[in-house]
Amino acid sequence: MPTLLVTGGCGFIGSNFVRHLLATDPATQIINFDALTYAGNLANLTDVVKHPRYTFVRGDVTDREQVRAAMGRGVTDVIHFAAESHVDRSIQDSGPFLKTNVIGTQVLLDAAREFGVKRYVQVSTDEVYGSLGDTGLFTEHTPLHPNSPYSASKAAADLLVQAYQHTFGLHAVITRCSNNYGPYQFPEKLIPLFVSNLLADQQVPVYGDGMQVRDWIHVLDHCRGVEAAWRKGRSGEVYNFGGRCEKANLHLTHLLLELLGKPKSLIKYVADRLGHDRRYAIDCTKAERELGWAPQVPFETGLRETIEWYRANAAWVAAIKNKDYLAYYEKQYGGR
Ligand code: NAD
Ligand code: DAU
């Protein structure tokens, strides 16, 4: 029976992945290793906390001894989601991004070698490819051209993974996905921020002219892709995942206003993000061909369900926005 170390399992994608795998794979033990930073939330997994194949370990991927202790629980496979993930925060302060995303990956790779891990998956991002013009798609052969401190730290981590695969023969696969949306996404990212603000009749800050384009994919489609890469990916290969769903931010904002029945006056144009990437779009034919994967959730269906999830989970959003969830950690763990 595989014992899978999932790092960052208390975040948005990691928690969706843990729930998905527990529901669909009766043979895998999951150890969720998460530092519980501001983005990690135990409330994202309250429904599985007592599951017999699930264990939570609080730990930091940059801490060698904590990582080794977790690996020593019989880990056979690793899926590395843990990261500092928000571009705007990386522009404010790149330090935590270099530490967690680069050093954390190095520590994990060393431990994977030491403990003879069979399969290692690095969850990366399409942002490592930089920005596209009006046409074209990112393929796995697009040269790396990261533009933000976040994407630079993710690209550096990808290069380390490739170096460990080449030098030490570690079985390692890299996935690069476009923009995810769905339940449990921290309300600093566009869709959960805008939906939660609009539900409360608050304004939504559109950066610059709002004509930047992102390729949206439902988080469960991404999780299924990561799972396929783990099970079937060839060592040393990169697999792109995307939703074939390009939307300009402003058009997406108009769609959200329409679905929520809110007026355009709630749009607030604000200063642009520094170095803002103009367009991302993914060619995911390699993953379709080699992994038998394809995005399944139609965008409007997924978006409507996501809006309803945020409406039904207003308390989850409120606890984050008023930082109540941090007090919960203080009580549970005596400080962060
Ligand atoms: P998130 O910010 O919601 O969650 C990150 C998780 O990692 C949190 O639970 C946090 O506590 C944990 N973490 C952070 N630093 C840690 C450390 N030092 N040690 C252990 N745990 C730590 O992020 P997300 O949106 O779920 O993204 C997960 C991964 O997917 C990231 O690697 C990100 O780069 C990648 N990704 C995200 C998207 C997206 O649209 N959100 C798209 C493609 C790829
Ligand atoms: O492409 C994958 C990446 O998608 C992941 O690697 C990142 O972890 C994830 O955060 C996301 O990065 P983006 O920067 O694209 O996502 P974000 O939700 O921050 O912004 C989406 C777009 O919306 C982007 O063009 C900036 C814009 N935006 C964002 C926010 C938060 C606004 O106009 N206003 C906002 O308030």
Side-chain angles (χ1 to χ4, degrees), residues 195-213:
V195 169
S196 58
N197 279 12
L198 291 174
L199 284 170
D201 292 312
Q202 290 166 0
Q203 288 192 304
V204 292
V206 170
Y207 296 167
D209 64 3
M211 294 313 289
Q212 306 82 9
V213 172

Side-chain angles (χ1 to χ4, degrees), residues 122 124-130 132 136-145 155 158-159 162 172-178 215 225 229 233-244 281-293 295:
Q122 178 76 7
S124 185
T125 168
D126 64 351
E127 298 203 9
V128 297
Y129 298 124
L132 289 164
L137 302 170
F138 295 134
T139 74
E140 289 81 359
H141 297 294
T142 302
L144 300 188
H145 195 299
D158 286 8
L159 294 179
Q162 287 172 332
V173 168
I174 296 171
T175 65
R176 294 185 180 140
C177 191
S178 61
D215 174 356
R234 286 184 293 131
S235 186
E237 294 293 318
V238 174
Y239 296 94
N240 285 350
F241 300 114
R244 291 209 176 86
I282 278 276
D283 177 344
C284 54
T285 49
K286 179 180 174 185
E288 290 177 329
R289 197 177 56 244
E290 287 194 19
L291 305 177
W293 169 92

Side-chain angles (χ1 to χ4, degrees), residues 26 39 42 333:
L42 287 173
Y333 294 99

Side-chain angles (χ1 to χ4, degrees), residues 155-166:
D158 286 8
L159 294 179
L160 269 177
V161 173
Q162 287 172 332
Y164 274 62
Q165 190 274 334
H166 178 82

Side-chain angles (χ1 to χ4, degrees), residues 8-14 33-41 59-62 80-85 100 123-126 150 154 177-180 185-186 188-189 222:
C10 293
F12 163 49
I13 304 171
F33 183 84
D34 196 298
L36 298 178
T37 68
Y38 81 92
N41 191 344
D60 187 326
V61 288
T62 68
H80 183 30
F81 290 95
E84 288 292 337
S85 70
T100 287
V123 180
S124 185
T125 168
D126 64 351
Y150 161 69
K154 293 292 289 186
C177 191
S178 61
N179 285 63
N180 287 215
Q185 188 167 28
F186 196 87
E188 64 185 350
K189 308 279 164 58
H222 183 197

